[in-house]
């Protein structure tokens, strides 16, 4: 899926769960960052463009490999928990898993249990007709959750 669709889904999820947060704005931003994090291995992605030399090097290890896996986010969560940021690690993981979930609907799929080969695939290619519907649905759902939480 495209970066904006990942952001919209993460926006919806973070607005739905906004009652959990101690710092709502910062928490939503961390969830949004987490939703972009897996595509750090693609230098053409939103986050990949921001960290260009790094993303280009990471792509050499393959797109949708280690950086699209539960292993990566588990290691990152452990690292953040070790330094006392487990809550932000959990928010980052929420956005990250939302990314994997949506990428699982594409024919290219994802391997959430990397390095094992089991793959989750779906029928909707990145940029297909379904993405604008998902995008607007998630944005409207997120706004509705925000309004209802006020
Ligand atoms: Zn991705």
């Amino acid at each position: 899926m495209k970066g904006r669709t990942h952001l919209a889904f993460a926006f919806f999820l973070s607005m739905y769960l906004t009652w959990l947060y101690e710092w709502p704005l910062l928490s939503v931003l961390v969830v949004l960052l987490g939703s972009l994090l897996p595509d750090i291995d693609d230098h053409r992605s939103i986050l990949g463009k921001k960290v260009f030399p790094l993303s280009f090097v990471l792509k050499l290890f393959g797109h949708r490999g280690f950086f699209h896996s539960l292993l990566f986010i588990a290691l990152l969560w452990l690292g953040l928990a070790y330094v006392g940021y487990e809550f932000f690690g959990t928010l980052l993981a929420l956005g990250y898993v939302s990314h994997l979930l949506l990428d699982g609907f594409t024919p290219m799929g994802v391997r959430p249990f990397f390095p094992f080969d089991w793959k989750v695939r779906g029928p909707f290619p990145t940029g297909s007709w379904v993405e604008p519907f998902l995008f607007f649905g998630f944005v409207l759902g997120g706004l509705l959750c925000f309004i209802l939480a006020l």
Side-chain angles (χ1 to χ4, degrees):
M1 297 281 167
K2 292 188 168 200
R4 63 175 172 254
T5 308
H6 289 299
L7 283 172
F9 187 37
F11 172 72
F12 168 70
L13 286 176
S14 58
M15 286 295 124
Y16 182 73
L17 298 172
T18 195
W19 54 274
L20 287 173
Y21 310 145
E22 198 169 332
W23 305 285
L25 181 60
L26 180 60
S27 299
V28 169
L29 291 175
V30 172
V31 175
L32 293 177
L33 176 66
S35 76
L36 296 176
L37 190 57
D39 281 341
I40 197 169
D41 63 6
D42 184 355
H43 62 282
R44 297 166 302 168
S45 68
I46 293 173
L47 187 61
K49 287 178 188 167
K50 304 279 184 224
V51 294
F52 170 67
L54 175 66
S55 60
F56 189 77
V57 172
L58 294 178
K59 188 164 186 167
L60 298 176
F61 295 97
H63 180 51
R64 294 196 183 181
F66 174 65
F67 294 100
H68 276 72
S69 73
L70 296 173
L71 176 62
F72 173 74
I73 195 61
L75 292 173
L76 186 60
W77 187 89
L78 284 172
L80 288 169
Y82 182 75
V83 293
Y85 290 106
E86 56 268 73
F87 183 69
F88 286 110
T90 303
L91 293 174
L92 206 62
L94 174 68
Y96 187 92
V97 171
S98 78
H99 183 112
L100 297 187
L101 194 68
L102 284 185
D103 276 357
F105 284 97
T106 65
M108 186 180 180
V110 286
R111 295 163 43 200
F113 300 109
F114 178 91
F116 299 106
D117 270 343
W118 184 70
K119 203 172 221 183
V120 180
R121 292 177 200 218
F124 306 110
T126 299
S128 75
W129 62 269
V130 79
E131 280 205 47
F133 291 101
L134 289 175
F135 177 83
F136 287 111
F138 291 141
V139 169
L140 288 176
L143 291 173
L144 190 62
C145 289
F146 178 73
I147 291 167
L148 292 175
L150 290 178

